[in-house]
Amino acid sequence: MRDTHAMMGGEMTDHEGRGHEWVADCRLRAATDLFTHTWDPVVLAALRAGPRRRRELRAAIGGISDKVLTDTLRRLLAGGLVGRHAHAEAPPRVEYRLTVLGQSLVEGPMVALGRWAVDHGDELLAAQENAARRTTDP
């Protein structure tokens, strides 16, 4: 088991032993926030293949505006998940790549979520459709 760590207010908790205490954990909120922005995981997945320039990212993703891509890259850069490398040449060339932290997210939880979506996506969509029908049927 992991060592305990200090929580907000000085409370100690052991994540492996008492998962219900994750609710107050700022680290869990920070990690789940990575998936609250629709395009964050999409851009991370697009960078899984290796470094890409902006136009290559837009082409690989499709349907993302330049403004949204800019905002997403800024958020991912600030979170330490993506790195930016400006090549010293004319015209300037900038590439974005996953950092070690970003790679660990993509290769770990995102791969697991992808597997889960493949295994259970139809069930999830069917449940959502049934719920939508119940709310629109008198």
Side-chain angles (χ1 to χ4, degrees):
M1 272 202 221
R2 282 186 174 165
D3 295 328
T4 57
H5 65 275
M7 297 291 293
M8 293 170 30
E11 182 181 338
M12 300 296 279
T13 179
D14 178 353
H15 280 226
E16 272 79 19
R18 298 178 297 207
H20 65 279
E21 293 180 5
W22 286 5
V23 173
D25 193 338
C26 294
R27 285 171 277 216
L28 181 61
R29 285 196 307 267
T32 56
D33 279 351
L34 298 171
F35 295 97
T36 60
H37 297 280
T38 303
W39 293 104
D40 289 9
V42 175
V43 170
L44 291 170
L47 289 171
R48 185 178 185 199
R52 291 190 177 190
R53 297 174 72 177
R54 288 178 58 83
R55 66 176 166 73
E56 294 169 335
L57 276 171
R58 284 194 67 197
I61 294 168
I64 188 170
S65 72
D66 196 53
K67 181 190 181 323
V68 171
L69 180 57
T70 297
D71 292 345
T72 302
L73 287 169
R74 284 182 182 153
R75 199 170 31 254
L76 295 173
L77 284 160
L81 299 169
V82 169
R84 179 183 186 275
H85 179 71
H87 295 270
E89 56 189 47
R93 181 171 55 106
V94 176
E95 288 182 329
Y96 296 90
R97 60 168 175 71
L98 293 175
T99 61
V100 172
L101 182 62
Q103 190 76 32
S104 70
L105 175 64
V106 170
E107 297 299 332
M110 285 182 59
V111 166
L113 181 60
R115 274 192 224 113
W116 183 88
V118 167
D119 292 345
H120 301 286
D122 291 341
E123 296 168 64
L124 179 62
L125 293 174
Q128 290 172 347
E129 289 171 8
N130 287 337
R133 272 194 292 264
R134 283 193 300 271
T135 59
T136 58
D137 290 342

